[in-house]
Amino acid sequence: MTSGKHRINQGGHRQLSAAIYRTVIARMRFHEPTIAYVARRTAEGKSKRGIIRCLKRYVIREVYHLVKADPHTGEVRS
């Protein structure tokens, strides 16, 4: 039985994974909405590693939508 946590595949592109991690750490220090999110999740009892895992998934979704968007119109391609 699983714990219900979503895990990012640890295999794959090491440089990309490191860049996503650095992005999350920078956001945790300087990005006000992320700082508020971390404080809220910490109050809920989440661990720092769990919070970082959630933030990495969020950053990956953001980047995916930026890459998938048409640069001329800004609309998401299917």
Side-chain angles (χ1 to χ4, degrees):
M1 181 169 224
T2 63
S3 63
K5 295 180 182 176
H6 295 277
R7 300 283 184 175
I8 296 172
N9 184 358
Q10 294 299 314
H13 201 282
R14 288 183 183 194
Q15 288 179 326
L16 179 61
S17 295
I20 294 166
Y21 178 79
R22 284 191 301 271
T23 302
V24 167
I25 297 304
R27 280 186 173 202
M28 288 174 71
R29 289 178 134 184
F30 304 112
H31 188 239
E32 287 299 326
T34 304
I35 293 168
Y37 175 82
V38 170
R40 188 174 72 244
R41 295 301 290 242
T42 303
E44 292 175 1
K46 294 284 185 186
S47 68
K48 185 175 178 183
R49 287 182 66 184
I51 294 168
I52 290 172
R53 181 173 46 249
C54 294
L55 288 170
K56 284 164 70 173
R57 289 177 53 232
Y58 184 80
V59 168
I60 291 167
R61 278 194 302 268
E62 274 189 292
V63 170
Y64 177 76
H65 288 297
L66 288 172
V67 168
K68 192 153 171 115
D70 185 8
H72 301 293
T73 63
E75 294 180 8
V76 176
R77 293 179 271 186
S78 53

